[in-house]
Amino acid sequence: MVKLEDVYRATGDGLDIIKYYYPDCVDTNGSLKKHFRMRNERTPSASIKKYGDVYKVTDFGDQGKALSPIDIVMQEENVRFAEAVAILADRYDVTSDRLNGNVN
């Protein structure tokens, strides 16, 4: 069984997931922007910060609550936790075989 921690490990602590949904979070040289847009708004008000081992996004123009990468997938795909993990495991090729070192 694939665990969320395994998905985060395969995605740069969730940063690749955030970039997938919000490509505006990086500038042209690939560096993280200080502020970016998560939604249609005039002034960019979201930012990325690492909390422990996982990157999170806070949109100060909305609820101001830090969203984990899994929260973002659940919100953007309108799915529940298990479905979100399955989407990410498939997208980033994270399988239990691969985790156990059984890669062909």
Side-chain angles (χ1 to χ4, degrees), residues 1 8 11 25 28 44 49 57 64-65 75 77 83 85 97:
M1 172 183 252
Y8 285 160
T11 60
C25 74
T28 55
K49 181 178 176 185
V57 173
K65 176 184 152 197
Q75 176 180 294
E77 302 285 346
E83 294 168 291
V85 172
D97 282 346

Side-chain angles (χ1 to χ4, degrees), residues 4-66:
L4 183 57
E5 294 80 18
D6 301 323
V7 172
Y8 285 160
R9 198 172 305 114
T11 60
D13 298 330
L15 188 56
D16 294 340
I17 299 167
I18 295 168
K19 289 178 185 178
Y20 178 87
Y21 287 97
Y22 308 118
D24 189 41
C25 74
V26 291
D27 59 24
T28 55
N29 67 4
S31 299
L32 292 176
K33 290 182 180 177
K34 183 170 180 160
H35 297 287
F36 65 96
R37 288 178 178 86
M38 277 180 69
R39 55 196 164 74
N40 188 12
E41 61 184 335
R42 192 168 32 118
T43 306
S45 61
S47 66
I48 297 174
K49 181 178 176 185
K50 194 165 186 182
Y51 292 84
D53 293 336
V54 177
Y55 285 93
K56 294 186 178 184
V57 173
T58 303
D59 184 359
F60 295 100
D62 193 24
Q63 296 177 356
K65 176 184 152 197

